[in-house]
């Protein structure tokens, strides 16, 4: 598992600057790591101390805030983190062994949360920080050394 779940804060764009940080942990009780926000405004985080175990949790947006964290995708083994919404599913980074080297158990996976079905995006190898940028037609990510991008087929990536 990755390090401990941490406090989360939010800042918003305000003209040419940013708002003061809002402590989401104090206000809504959400903690975790590797946060992302879905198009619907829900918060996705990695939790290593979640109620259902180590995995991806969702806090649904309620008004300007968030409801309680609920398990969204918690695999039986390995560390699954860095979730981002993609179509009706998720893209996640997964490491199932000590090396985290590219292979059939490690890398970026497309996940269908309701069924738990996964598909390895083996062309990427073991990378993280995956972010589909539809406006640019790119999938952006890091390999730990560089920021990289590849074209999205048709401008979208869906599990």
């Amino acid at each position: 598992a990755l390090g401990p779940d941490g406090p989360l804060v939010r800042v918003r764009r305000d003209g040419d600057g940013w708002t003061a940080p809002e402590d989401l942990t104090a206000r809504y009780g959400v903690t975790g790591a590797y946060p992302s926000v879905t198009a619907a405004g829900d918060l996705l985080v990695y939790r290593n101390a979640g109620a259902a175990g180590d995995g991806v949790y969702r806090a649904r947006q309620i008004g300007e805030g968030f409801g309680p964290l609920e398990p969204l995708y918690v695999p039986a083994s390995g560390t699954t983190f860095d979730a981002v919404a993609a179509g009706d599913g998720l893209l996640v980074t997964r490491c199932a062994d000590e090396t985290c080297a590219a292979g059939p158990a490690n890398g970026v996976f497309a996940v269908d949360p309701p069924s738990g079905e996964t598909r390895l995006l083996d062309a990427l190898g073991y990378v993280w920080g995956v972010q589909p940028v539809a406006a640019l037609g790119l999938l952006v990510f890091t390999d730990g050394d560089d920021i990289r991008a590849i074209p999205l087929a048709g401008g979208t990536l869906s599990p």
Side-chain angles (χ1 to χ4, degrees), residues 54-123:
D54 175 0
V56 177
Y57 287 71
R58 172 180 52 204
R60 294 183 188 270
Q61 181 181 23
I62 300 174
E64 290 293 311
F66 299 98
L69 286 166
E70 56 192 39
L72 183 59
Y73 177 67
V74 179
S77 64
T79 300
T80 300
F81 64 102
D82 215 10
V84 63
D88 293 333
L90 300 172
L91 295 177
V92 299
T93 298
R94 183 151 191 255
C95 179
D97 58 33
E98 293 295 317
T99 67
C100 296
N106 300 325
V108 177
F109 288 79
V111 176
D112 176 48
S115 70
E117 291 182 31
T118 65
R119 177 175 50 88
L120 175 65
L121 304 180
D122 55 1

Side-chain angles (χ1 to χ4, degrees), residues 14-66:
D14 186 15
D16 291 335
W18 298 93
T19 62
E22 175 187 9
D23 186 338
L24 299 178
T25 300
R27 191 157 187 198
Y28 304 109
V30 293
T31 61
Y34 299 93
S36 69
V37 178
T38 69
D42 295 345
L43 178 64
L44 302 177
V45 298
Y46 161 79
R47 300 272 331 261
N48 73 353
D54 175 0
V56 177
Y57 287 71
R58 172 180 52 204
R60 294 183 188 270
Q61 181 181 23
I62 300 174
E64 290 293 311
F66 299 98

